[in-house]
Amino acid sequence: MAKKAVTIKEVAEAAGVSRATVSAVLHGREWVSAETRDKVEQFLQQKQYQKHLLMNSLSRHFSKVIGVVIGNIRNPFNTEFISGLQEHLGKEGYFVLHHHTDESYESEVRALESLASYELGGYVVAPAQEGRPHDHIKKLIDEGKVLVSIGAIPDLETNAVDFDDDTANRNATDYLIQRGHTRIVCLAGAETSSFARHRIKGYVEGLMSHHLPIDESLIVRVGDSLTEGYRATIRILREYRPRPTAFLCFNDLIAMSVYQAAHELGIGIPTDLSVIGFDDCQLAAILGPPLTTVATYPVELARHAAEIIISIQQGNVAPGFIQRRTHPRLIERLSVSFPAPSARG
Amino acid sequence: MAKKAVTIKEVAEAAGVSRATVSAVLHGREWVSAETRDKVEQFLQQKQYQKHLLMNSLSRHFSKVIGVVIGNIRNPFNTEFISGLQEHLGKEGYFVLHHHTDESYESEVRALESLASYELGGYVVAPAQEGRPHDHIKKLIDEGKVLVSIGAIPDLETNAVDFDDDTANRNATDYLIQRGHTRIVCLAGAETSSFARHRIKGYVEGLMSHHLPIDESLIVRVGDSLTEGYRATIRILREYRPRPTAFLCFNDLIAMSVYQAAHELGIGIPTDLSVIGFDDCQLAAILGPPLTTVATYPVELARHAAEIIISIQQGNVAPGFIQRRTHPRLIERLSVSFPAPSARG
């Protein structure tokens, strides 16, 4: 009872190291240099603090509440990601709170500021927009918070989980071209989405590898909602001549909006129009017809994010940032066929 | 600078009234009795507290952070409800955090306990299970927290938003019977779901009103997931003879799992099997074929929940609990037809 419980923050500040490093010393991780270890141990001795009290305080410092800030809760990729995150973190006694920003940069900034006052144990953030300052994220990282970004952030070092969008969309484009499609719409995400930028890159590379021209009017930006996808598709199918024979969609939600527009106009999938989605959310397999799509494995991605958080909290990794990548794969179902002879370019 | 800021909690305790009542006195609401008003004003005078300082503290007491605890984030009803809640509360400067329990009672108890430490401004809870103690919810209400339940809780007075499940499912059953169906599966929710209990009641009443027998084997319980719905449907379609000609589903998610199973077995919707969903989530209209379903208007329900929270925080309502109800409506699309002649009972 005589000894005072010290916080890991005090030790970290006094020894001039990060909190993750203090945690690593206490857990006897091998990557810690002898010098750093001595510095931390020395400080503890000086102050007559007991290691077991500090070990207790570790669990207090690293709260097991994790805040998740994502864009659009109506996108099944996000709900499957959150489900996966909660499944993996829940098993280890964590509590996951989520907030969605509706893809608004301002909401994201406010959300992280609000969450900061709760002293959470970690953050998982899907940054809403590229090209806007990331000070609100950098601030948390600089404060030593455990933060995992969904998708790497240009010019900012952070833990991240992502997947190879470029290659995935290049392969999907190639798949369509091999089946005779040349007028392929790339229904891409918002101008500010880094995912959209990568996927457009893959689409363009796919066309170029077959020496096909790039028609900019076929790259159409839509936000992440059924309504926007639906409106854009109706317009394209009504106005573009010759009519495009295939749609490469930003995600499965957008692919569903293409289905909706095509059904309404009496355009058959895949007889008159081929469609490829992105993500392979649970619903993809049960659309009529089942959707050919690029699987991005949101639950596996979530498992990586959970493991990064747990490893860092347990001092189980060397300092520096961790990036984990999944490899998307095209799942062939029934929404792609050869274009009708009359439509072939 | 001389005057100390008092908390609304202190005033409420000293005057022996609820915090909502103190708020109402400060806002000059007319429903407060003269006696109560005097008691509160008197306390403030005694303590030489200034009203404007207390008004300031009001905004501190009633935090604008709202915690939402729902069952299954993969159910589109829930994501549309959360979207609606955030839209309506967001406009008023609120911040919405959500947590999903995967329909686990234990997770719900832990979630509300965890959230309680954050001093939130209010709670919206979809209680996971009927027939289990609601002490964790009662505790928050007893502490004067603003809490809105999705679905009324038997034996517990609380603010609630809900809809008339019984009538809705009775009407949907009637709709099927009028089209010649007599072997109708009621793919109901979990044993512990109060929504399921009401919807089964409506189904049974629908059959009885047409003097049709109740075949208990046609009432099949499934949890709120595509997988469970799919497995149950495969079993029913393979084993039950004569094969049922219609499925009345617990919600649209379950209806989608019926689509999946039927597609896989080569059973056509609606030619061989009619399907009715529940909720009318955005995806219902774009399934193949578009799903006939009972609209429950989750976004409108969310608006009601938001209005209850805001009204109470602003002291804009008399003490007591507020219940708001929406009226579901059958939306006719293309997933119901007359049963094939060979299948008619």
Side-chain angles (χ1 to χ4, degrees):
Chain A
M1 297 296 279
K3 310 256 176 189
K4 194 183 146 212
V6 61
T7 69
I8 190 162
K9 194 176 162 200
E10 288 168 339
V11 180
E13 281 170 7
V17 298
S18 74
R19 286 178 279 198
T21 301
V22 177
S23 171
V25 170
L26 291 166
H27 284 95
R29 306 296 175 205
E30 293 188 353
W31 57 262
V32 182
S33 71
E35 190 194 352
T36 302
R37 183 184 312 279
D38 288 352
K39 206 154 53 173
V40 172
E41 299 276 8
Q42 206 177 342
F43 171 81
L44 291 174
Q45 228 158 23
Q46 267 173 24
K47 297 283 172 183
Q48 297 191 297
Y49 286 133
Q50 285 193 349
K51 197 165 166 179
H52 77 271
L53 289 177
L54 187 53
M55 290 292 273
N56 286 346
S57 90
L58 255 187
S59 58
R60 276 195 298 280
H61 169 67
F62 282 126
S63 142
K64 285 197 150 186
V65 181
I66 305 298
V68 184
V69 177
I70 50 132
N72 173 11
I73 201 179
R74 293 186 187 222
N75 181 340
F77 174 90
N78 286 327
T79 52
E80 293 183 16
F81 181 88
I82 289 173
S83 269
L85 201 60
Q86 185 155 317
E87 185 194 327
H88 290 291
L89 288 172
K91 275 189 288 198
E92 306 290 325
Y94 285 79
F95 178 62
V96 177
L97 280 172
H98 21 98
H99 174 79
H100 72 111
T101 64
D102 264 333
E103 310 287 347
S104 148
Y105 174 78
E106 288 71 25
S107 294
E108 176 185 308
V109 172
R110 268 201 308 276
L112 287 183
E113 281 171 4
S114 300
L115 287 173
S117 65
Y118 291 125
E119 286 288 337
L120 303 184
Y123 299 83
V124 179
V125 183
Q129 294 185 14
E130 209 174 40
R132 300 287 294 268
H134 289 300
D135 299 345
H136 56 300
I137 294 175
K138 188 167 183 304
K139 184 163 174 282
L140 289 171
I141 296 172
D142 288 348
E143 286 169 359
K145 306 291 188 201
V146 182
L147 187 144
V148 181
S149 167
I150 307 174
I153 306 173
D155 306 322
L156 185 63
E157 273 208 297
T158 173
N159 306 301
V161 291
D162 70 355
F163 39 79
D164 187 352
D165 291 88
D166 308 35
T167 309
N169 240 20
R170 189 167 61 238
N171 292 343
T173 306
D174 187 67
Y175 179 86
L176 288 169
I177 297 170
Q178 283 183 7
R179 274 150 194 77
H181 296 276
T182 55
R183 266 182 82 69
I184 303 167
V185 170
C186 176
L187 213 47
E191 299 272 358
T192 52
S193 157
S194 65
F195 294 111
R197 182 167 56 80
H198 286 289
R199 290 182 206 170
I200 291 171
K201 184 164 170 273
Y203 163 79
V204 168
E205 286 171 1
L207 291 173
M208 286 171 64
S209 72
H210 287 267
H211 310 292
L212 285 169
I214 313 301
D215 177 346
E216 299 234 351
S217 74
L218 294 179
I219 301 173
V220 179
R221 299 284 196 160
V222 289
D224 193 15
S225 80
L226 281 176
T227 319
E228 283 191 61
Y230 168 81
R231 285 194 193 133
T233 306
I234 289 278
R235 187 175 60 79
I236 293 166
L237 292 176
R238 281 210 178 118
E239 296 177 9
Y240 283 30
R241 291 296 174 272
R243 202 166 70 198
T245 60
F247 273 60
L248 190 65
C249 301
F250 181 57
N251 57 33
D252 291 347
L253 190 76
I254 297 299
M256 290 177 206
S257 72
V258 173
Y259 273 52
Q260 185 182 17
H263 283 323
E264 197 169 302
L265 297 176
I267 293 172
I269 299 173
T271 42
D272 306 319
L273 186 69
S274 291
V275 182
I276 293 187
F278 208 97
D279 286 340
D280 192 30
C281 66
Q282 270 195 311
L283 295 173
I286 63 176
L287 294 175
L291 179 67
T292 294
T293 186
V294 175
T296 56
Y297 308 107
V299 174
E300 197 193 330
L301 214 61
R303 180 172 58 74
H304 285 312
E307 285 172 359
I308 292 174
I309 290 171
I310 294 168
S311 301
I312 294 175
Q313 284 206 356
Q314 295 180 345
N316 221 344
V317 285
F321 295 101
I322 307 170
Q323 311 226 334
R324 294 270 189 91
R325 194 149 241 235
T326 60
H327 297 285
R329 199 163 67 85
L330 188 75
I331 308 291
E332 292 189 66
R333 295 202 183 91
L334 303 174
S335 62
V336 173
S337 72
F338 290 83
S342 63
R344 284 197 203 180
Chain B
M1 295 296 279
K3 309 257 178 187
K4 192 183 148 214
V6 62
T7 68
I8 191 163
K9 193 175 163 202
E10 288 168 339
V11 180
E13 281 171 6
V17 298
S18 75
R19 287 177 279 197
T21 301
V22 177
S23 171
V25 169
L26 292 166
H27 284 96
R29 305 296 174 203
E30 293 189 352
W31 56 261
V32 183
S33 72
E35 190 193 353
T36 302
R37 183 183 312 277
D38 287 353
K39 206 156 52 175
V40 172
E41 300 275 8
Q42 207 177 342
F43 171 81
L44 290 173
Q45 228 157 25
Q46 266 175 25
K47 297 282 172 183
Q48 296 191 296
Y49 285 132
Q50 286 194 346
K51 197 165 164 178
H52 77 271
L53 290 176
L54 188 53
M55 289 293 272
N56 286 345
S57 90
L58 254 187
S59 57
R60 275 196 298 278
H61 170 68
F62 282 126
S63 140
K64 285 196 151 186
V65 181
I66 305 298
V68 184
V69 177
I70 50 132
N72 174 11
I73 200 179
R74 293 187 185 220
N75 181 341
F77 174 90
N78 286 327
T79 53
E80 293 184 15
F81 181 88
I82 289 173
S83 269
L85 201 59
Q86 185 155 317
E87 183 193 328
H88 292 291
L89 287 173
K91 274 189 288 199
E92 305 291 324
Y94 286 79
F95 178 63
V96 178
L97 280 172
H98 21 99
H99 174 79
H100 72 111
T101 63
D102 265 333
E103 310 288 347
S104 148
Y105 174 78
E106 288 70 24
S107 294
E108 176 185 309
V109 172
R110 268 201 308 276
L112 287 182
E113 282 171 2
S114 300
L115 288 173
S117 64
Y118 291 125
E119 285 288 338
L120 303 185
Y123 300 83
V124 179
V125 183
Q129 293 185 14
E130 210 173 42
R132 300 287 293 267
H134 289 299
D135 299 345
H136 57 299
I137 295 175
K138 188 168 183 303
K139 184 163 174 282
L140 289 172
I141 297 171
D142 289 347
E143 285 169 0
K145 306 290 188 202
V146 182
L147 187 144
V148 181
S149 168
I150 306 174
I153 305 173
D155 306 323
L156 184 63
E157 274 208 297
T158 173
N159 306 300
V161 292
D162 70 356
F163 38 78
D164 187 351
D165 291 88
D166 309 33
T167 308
N169 241 20
R170 188 165 62 238
N171 292 344
T173 307
D174 187 65
Y175 179 85
L176 288 169
I177 296 169
Q178 283 181 7
R179 274 149 192 79
H181 296 276
T182 54
R183 266 181 83 67
I184 302 167
V185 170
C186 176
L187 213 48
E191 299 272 358
T192 50
S193 157
S194 66
F195 294 110
R197 182 167 55 81
H198 286 289
R199 291 182 205 169
I200 291 171
K201 183 163 170 276
Y203 163 79
V204 168
E205 286 171 1
L207 291 173
M208 285 171 64
S209 73
H210 288 267
H211 310 291
L212 285 170
I214 312 302
D215 177 347
E216 300 235 349
S217 74
L218 294 179
I219 301 173
V220 178
R221 300 285 194 159
V222 289
D224 193 14
S225 81
L226 281 175
T227 318
E228 282 191 62
Y230 168 81
R231 284 194 193 134
T233 306
I234 288 278
R235 187 174 60 80
I236 294 166
L237 292 177
R238 280 209 179 118
E239 296 177 10
Y240 282 32
R241 291 296 174 272
R243 200 165 72 198
T245 60
F247 274 60
L248 190 66
C249 301
F250 182 56
N251 57 34
D252 291 347
L253 190 75
I254 297 299
M256 291 176 206
S257 72
V258 173
Y259 273 51
Q260 184 183 16
H263 284 322
E264 196 168 304
L265 298 176
I267 292 172
I269 299 173
T271 42
D272 307 319
L273 186 69
S274 290
V275 181
I276 293 187
F278 208 98
D279 287 339
D280 193 29
C281 64
Q282 270 195 311
L283 295 173
I286 64 175
L287 292 175
L291 179 68
T292 294
T293 186
V294 176
T296 56
Y297 308 106
V299 173
E300 198 193 330
L301 214 61
R303 180 173 58 76
H304 285 311
E307 285 171 359
I308 292 174
I309 290 171
I310 294 168
S311 302
I312 294 175
Q313 284 207 354
Q314 295 180 344
N316 222 345
V317 286
F321 294 99
I322 306 170
Q323 311 225 335
R324 295 271 189 90
R325 196 149 238 234
T326 60
H327 296 285
R329 199 162 67 84
L330 188 75
I331 309 292
E332 292 190 66
R333 295 201 183 93
L334 302 174
S335 62
V336 173
S337 72
F338 290 84
S342 62
R344 285 196 202 181

